[in-house]
Amino acid sequence: MKKIAAILMVIITLVSVLCACGDSGNKNNNSVVNTTEAVEEQAADSTDNIKIDGLFVDESYVVEEGSSLKLLYLFYTLTATDANLEIDSKYTYMTIGANKYESGHIPGVAKNMSSYVYTSYIEDVYVGESLKVVATFKVPAADLAPGKTIALEDSQLPNEEKLELITDSIQFKANTEEIAKVVDPEGYAAEQGKLQPADDERKSAVVNEVNGYEWSFYVNSTSYKISFTGNGFTLTTAFGSNSGTYEVLNGYIVCTYPNGNSVKIPYEIVDGEVDIDFVAGFDVKEG
């Protein structure tokens, strides 16, 4: 009887061990499944080609007086993995719930985020390269409330349908400076540096380059002529002439009209040579 009892005890022990192993295996399998699901959820804001860097609303921007429309910024990084890509900031479609919105270009609203391109022109992204892009949408405030799904559609964005975004991730900021500090701190710092007054040596180099000279250029279907003398400038187009004063900052020649409006013309000093980009200063389709 003792032998039989001993044998029964061994069998019971073996069965218990096997059951325990089976339970352990199930727990491990469940753990793997849950981890995979978590990774998929975390990857909903990126694909092999697209990484969503942020969704922001500029609370200070008034789209239309008395309108409920808000300006929504979409920041993303586009990477060309196995094929060359082309991209611009226009004609991206965003569907929020049942409503679809198209991105457009508004001059000047992305000046503080210099690491990102904001343009109506086609930009090339070659294999192995990445480009940071921002697109803007005019969206009613009610469609920005939490709990809604966001889908993107753009023939230039590969596999954009795999992105799964939600309005809960939208951040509301007081102005573009606050947005830039979060999404593009390096670009913001670089831009702020360009906006500081130039020292005497840098200022003299630029003044000597421009004073007494006239430049002609063509942009946005319009011919321009600009000349500088003393601390003033004169701009002439087919629509007439206008004059004002200018000052030299670390990265811009700022031309200010009598009404207070100004144009920032970017420049660089490379190996002692002053390189001024007049086209970029007056181009309303970029920046």
Side-chain angles (χ1 to χ4, degrees):
M1 291 296 294
K2 289 183 180 181
K3 288 183 178 180
I4 294 173
I7 292 171
L8 288 173
M9 288 297 294
V10 170
I11 293 173
I12 292 170
T13 301
L14 288 173
V15 170
S16 299
V17 170
L18 289 173
C19 289
C21 290
D23 289 341
S24 176
N26 288 336
K27 289 179 181 177
N28 289 337
N29 287 338
N30 289 336
S31 176
V32 171
V33 171
N34 291 338
T35 301
T36 303
E37 290 174 353
V39 170
E40 288 176 352
E41 289 178 2
Q42 291 173 357
D45 63 352
S46 65
T47 68
D48 289 342
N49 300 101
I50 310 164
K51 179 183 176 296
I52 303 300
D53 300 325
L55 287 161
F56 293 85
V57 168
D58 175 9
E59 295 274 37
S60 69
Y61 187 84
V62 178
V63 175
E64 297 174 12
E65 196 65 39
S67 171
S68 67
L69 293 175
K70 298 290 186 180
L71 191 62
L72 175 63
Y73 290 75
L74 167 68
F75 294 88
Y76 63 92
T77 302
L78 180 65
T79 301
T81 53
D82 53 5
N84 297 326
L85 301 174
E86 295 180 335
I87 194 64
D88 59 17
S89 298
K90 299 180 68 176
Y91 310 120
T92 298
Y93 295 92
M94 175 182 288
T95 299
I96 302 178
N99 301 311
K100 181 179 285 190
Y101 306 97
E102 179 183 333
S103 68
H105 183 271
I106 305 171
V109 300
K111 290 293 188 183
N112 289 314
M113 310 92 171
S114 60
S115 299
Y116 287 80
V117 298
Y118 182 59
T119 179
S120 297
Y121 301 115
I122 298 295
E123 297 281 343
D124 292 308
V125 187
Y126 297 112
V127 170
E129 296 180 352
S130 295
L131 184 68
K132 292 181 176 294
V133 184
V134 58
T136 55
F137 305 80
K138 296 177 181 178
V139 181
D143 249 353
L144 302 174
K148 297 187 177 185
T149 60
I150 300 174
L152 299 178
E153 179 184 346
D154 190 324
S155 60
Q156 296 174 314
L157 294 176
N159 302 317
E160 81 279 14
E161 72 280 358
K162 294 182 179 180
L163 295 168
E164 298 177 5
L165 309 176
I166 55 175
T167 53
D168 302 64
S169 62
I170 297 173
Q171 299 183 51
F172 293 79
K173 297 296 180 181
N175 49 49
T176 58
E177 289 193 356
E178 295 305 312
I179 294 174
K181 289 176 184 178
V182 175
V183 75
D184 186 19
E186 292 183 0
Y188 174 75
E191 183 66 14
Q192 294 307 300
K194 293 179 182 179
L195 293 172
Q196 298 304 309
D199 59 28
D200 290 342
E201 181 180 358
R202 191 175 185 87
K203 180 179 178 180
S204 295
V206 175
V207 168
N208 291 336
E209 180 73 16
V210 300
N211 272 5
Y213 296 96
E214 180 181 86
W215 282 264
S216 298
F217 54 98
Y218 185 81
V219 60
N220 302 141
S221 303
T222 302
S223 294
Y224 292 80
K225 287 184 179 180
I226 190 170
S227 60
F228 299 84
T229 181
N231 69 334
F233 76 96
T234 299
L235 181 72
T236 303
T237 70
F239 306 102
S241 296
N242 205 346
S243 299
T245 59
Y246 79 93
E247 63 176 324
V248 180
L249 305 182
N250 277 337
Y252 295 101
I253 301 171
V254 180
C255 298
T256 303
Y257 299 103
N259 63 4
N261 292 335
S262 62
V263 175
K264 293 186 296 191
I265 304 171
Y267 76 90
E268 292 182 319
I269 299 181
V270 181
D271 297 329
E273 297 292 326
V274 181
D275 182 12
I276 306 170
D277 193 344
F278 290 101
V279 171
F282 289 88
D283 193 349
V284 298
K285 294 185 178 180
E286 190 162 19

